[in-house]
Amino acid sequence: MNSRIINLLIGPALFAACYLLLPDAFFGTMAAKGAIGTIAWMAYWWITGPVDFAVTGFLPIIINAIFQLCDMSLVIANYADEIILLLLGASLITATWEITGLDKRIASMFLMLIGSNLRNQVVFWFLLSAILSSVLPNAVVCAAITPIAVSMLKYVGINEIESSNTGSMILLTIAYGAGVGGLVSPLGGAMNLVAVGYLQQVSGQEFIYWHWVVRFLPIVIVLVASNIIYLVVCCKKDENLGQSRQYFIEQYKAMGKMRSDEKWALGLFITATVLAFTRQLYQAYLPGLKPAYVFIGCAIIAFIVTEKNGGRLITWKSAERKVIWDLLYIFAGGLAAGTLINESGAAKAIGKAMASMNLDGGFLTILIIITITIIMSDMTSNTATAAVALPVIISIVQGIGLNPIPYIYITAIGVNLSYMLPTSIRAIPVGYGLSPKFMLKKGVIITVMVILLMTVISWAMLNFVPGFSTV
């Protein structure tokens, strides 16, 4: 109890220290200092857990109500963001899995195919998330893949993911893979499209998307390999999810044919996922039907479906018990904190500080760009970081008479990567039970590793690959 009280008090104390003691010369306004203080408070409470994680997600509202760091309507909007609706829709649909028993069928199938060895599991989930995120929004990928993994973990008896190293590693792997995969192509996320916009602006010509793939392929290979090696090293050699592959083959066969309610539960999820993943095919005809609304629509259908015996696929009372409500507010809190960082001027202040460092475009410049953009992506969204960082970096580079194109590519690397805090897509596994403390512990190490690796490879690409300086 004493420890909890101390942690409760340290959170607002960190906010007060930032709000009152951070130098005006660096941040400029009290609002910017308050936004940094809010991130510090939320991060500390998320890591130490003196209150439920979802409760911490509401801090931006009350802090902004008292200190008026930015327009409150912008903060509140995050709690009904499209991604929140997507997560709610996905949670409602996957709740039908547990009700119908489909979760056990899917879990045994994955265990039958992959085996129970944790290292094999980590490699599989990382590659699956990374490949899908290369052409799809990483939030959609993470929201679709995580509940499948959770179903598998529950099937083998891992119900408390927070206390399970095995479960925590698998959920962390999915978040890492979804983040890394976005760098493969411009379709991997809005942050990449922001970078493409600036590439076209500074070059005065259209940017061809496959050029991005060619330039980033060696970087992505290094990223994927290094991330997988790190995750595999974090797993004990003989760590597994329980029984042998043969056991799960027998379990799967013993389940018999799929029942109609299972088919409905699976069909709605597949329909929502496919429509979300193929939006470009019907976007011109149904421009308003975004992935979030597809998932909500399929969730509504789940409440309507009635079996021959009169039972419904899901009712609201069962949904109330099955949906992971924490997930929505942890994610929303991270979005709201990012809004405070950007709207208060804190992000611009960090950019100005960068501009005052008298950089020359060499190794140190690359190191600073990679470091600051990765840290900013942890505090706010990847897209917001790209929007703030790219114009600052372009102006710095042009100011010292250098070609800005390779530095746009380098900035794109940093804004795609983040590992430490439960903001953006990393809030999704936390909502399903992953401890933010575990995330930070593993995230600090890989963040340092990735910063050094990406700085070295970016410097090498800049100096020895002529194509890296062109569009």
Side-chain angles (χ1 to χ4, degrees), residues 3-4 7 41-53 56 161-165 168-169 172 176 230 234 330 378 419-423 426-427 429-431 433-447:
S3 174
R4 178 175 179 269
N7 287 329
W41 184 349
M42 293 176 74
Y44 187 81
W45 272 13
W46 268 330
I47 292 162
T48 58
V51 297
D52 295 320
F53 299 148
T56 300
I161 291 171
E162 184 175 357
S163 58
S164 167
N165 182 74
S168 296
M169 284 302 304
L172 193 68
Y176 284 5
Y230 174 74
C234 288
I330 295 168
D378 254 311
Y419 297 93
M420 295 184 290
L421 296 179
T423 53
R426 293 169 303 286
V430 170
L434 176 65
S435 165
K437 190 173 184 178
F438 183 91
M439 177 177 286
L440 180 67
K441 181 180 176 182
K442 301 296 183 185
V444 167
I445 298 171
I446 195 170
T447 295

Side-chain angles (χ1 to χ4, degrees), residues 192-458:
N192 295 341
L193 298 178
V194 173
V196 167
Y198 280 107
L199 285 167
Q200 293 181 153
Q201 182 179 313
V202 300
S203 67
Q205 62 189 78
E206 182 183 358
F207 183 82
I208 308 302
Y209 279 16
W210 70 267
H211 289 180
W212 178 291
V213 178
V214 170
R215 283 155 181 73
F216 280 96
L217 190 58
I219 296 169
V220 171
I221 290 172
V222 172
L223 263 176
V224 169
S226 60
N227 276 244
I228 288 178
I229 289 170
Y230 174 74
L231 289 165
V232 167
V233 168
C234 288
C235 305
K236 295 178 182 177
K237 189 175 181 180
D238 56 350
E239 196 169 356
N240 61 65
L241 280 70
Q243 302 291 339
S244 67
R245 178 178 286 164
Q246 185 58 40
Y247 170 83
F248 293 116
I249 292 173
E250 293 169 2
Q251 289 291 305
Y252 183 78
K253 290 178 178 177
M255 290 181 182
K257 292 183 178 181
M258 189 179 289
R259 302 188 313 273
S260 63
D261 57 349
E262 292 181 83
K263 291 177 181 178
W264 270 108
L266 180 61
L268 287 171
F269 182 82
I270 291 174
T271 299
T273 303
V274 169
L275 286 174
F277 286 3
T278 58
R279 173 166 159 71
Q280 64 273 20
L281 299 180
Y282 60 85
Q283 187 173 6
Y285 310 101
L286 295 168
L289 193 60
K290 297 180 180 179
Y293 312 136
V294 167
F295 272 90
I296 286 292
C298 287
I300 291 172
I301 293 172
F303 285 97
I304 297 172
V305 172
T306 305
E307 293 293 302
K308 290 181 180 179
N309 61 9
R312 282 186 285 164
L313 192 60
I314 186 172
T315 64
W316 188 253
K317 283 191 175 182
S318 58
E320 285 178 330
R321 296 190 300 270
K322 302 296 184 184
V323 169
I324 304 173
W325 300 104
D326 301 28
L327 166 64
L328 309 181
Y329 299 113
I330 295 168
F331 196 98
L335 292 177
T339 295
L340 291 182
I341 289 289
N342 289 293
E343 296 297 325
S344 67
K348 289 183 179 178
I350 294 171
K352 287 181 181 178
M354 228 179 123
S356 65
M357 291 180 181
N358 297 320
L359 303 175
D360 63 1
F363 187 87
L364 180 60
T365 302
I366 296 171
L367 175 62
I368 291 171
I369 290 173
I370 295 288
T371 302
I372 289 179
T373 50
I374 287 179
I375 291 173
M376 284 181 67
S377 292
D378 254 311
M379 294 192 296
T380 180
S381 74
N382 308 81
T383 304
T385 300
V388 170
L390 278 164
V392 173
I393 290 166
I394 290 169
S395 63
I396 292 171
V397 172
Q398 288 179 329
I400 56 180
L402 296 176
N403 176 12
I405 289 173
Y407 296 94
I408 295 175
Y409 292 139
I410 291 167
T411 305
I413 296 171
V415 301
N416 270 275
L417 305 175
S418 41
Y419 297 93
M420 295 184 290
L421 296 179
T423 53
S424 190
I425 62 167
R426 293 169 303 286
I428 296 173
V430 170
Y432 279 95
L434 176 65
S435 165
K437 190 173 184 178
F438 183 91
M439 177 177 286
L440 180 67
K441 181 180 176 182
K442 301 296 183 185
V444 167
I445 298 171
I446 195 170
T447 295
V448 173
M449 181 184 80
V450 165
I451 286 173
L452 295 175
L453 270 175
M454 291 300 99
T455 300
V456 171
I457 194 170
S458 296

